[in-house]
Amino acid sequence: MAYFEWASDMVIDHDGPIDQDHRRLVAQVNRLHDATSQGSGQEIVAGLLEELLADTKEHLAHEERFMASVGFPESEAHRKGHDHFVAELVRLKELYEGGSPTVATRLSQLLRDWLSLHIRRNDKEVRLFMDKQRRLKALKKS
């Protein structure tokens, strides 16, 4: 059984690019958990951190452009959450490079919390805003 499962309450753009990126993050969390469970978490951390930093920066830039395109009013606060997450990934990378033996565990917790809290709360606000905008447009047309 996977450490973290994709769930319907995580859907943002109905399997569009944002959901696809989030699903990739779920797979990365599970890959880290599997490696950690087998005692080889530290062995994959360096590569995973590089992958996560590249994927995350690209995803967050895409998500921020998307929020701007739909006029999401809380985009600045949302972006600050993104900046904090990237800073945490960078900090973990620095700890790993400094020889910290706890990075795999910390990274697993950070990713789990990001999926559970940011996506299910903050990103969901974007979806709810879009849903509301669609309903308003439909009402204006009728």
Side-chain angles (χ1 to χ4, degrees), residues 96-118:
Y96 178 80
E97 290 168 349
S100 174
T102 63
V103 173
T105 301
R106 289 172 155 185
L107 180 58
S108 181
Q109 291 168 344
L110 174 66
L111 296 176
R112 181 202 62 217
D113 291 348
W114 181 258
L115 287 166
S116 295
L117 302 175
H118 182 82

Side-chain angles (χ1 to χ4, degrees), residues 37-51:
S37 297
Q38 297 167 6
S40 59
Q42 282 298 104
E43 295 169 18
I44 71 160
V45 168
L48 186 58
L49 278 167
E50 289 296 328
E51 185 181 317

Side-chain angles (χ1 to χ4, degrees), residues 48-111:
L48 186 58
L49 278 167
E50 289 296 328
E51 185 181 317
L52 283 165
L53 280 165
D55 288 353
T56 299
K57 288 177 183 178
E58 183 179 324
H59 165 70
L60 296 180
H62 176 260
E63 191 174 291
E64 289 168 12
R65 284 190 305 273
F66 178 76
M67 288 187 298
S69 76
V70 298
F72 182 62
E74 302 297 322
S75 59
E76 183 60 27
H78 197 103
R79 186 192 57 75
K80 287 180 182 178
H82 291 171
D83 292 346
H84 177 73
F85 180 63
V86 171
E88 286 297 305
L89 288 173
V90 168
R91 186 179 69 81
L92 288 175
K93 182 179 178 201
E94 291 167 353
L95 286 172
Y96 178 80
E97 290 168 349
S100 174
T102 63
V103 173
T105 301
R106 289 172 155 185
L107 180 58
S108 181
Q109 291 168 344
L110 174 66
L111 296 176

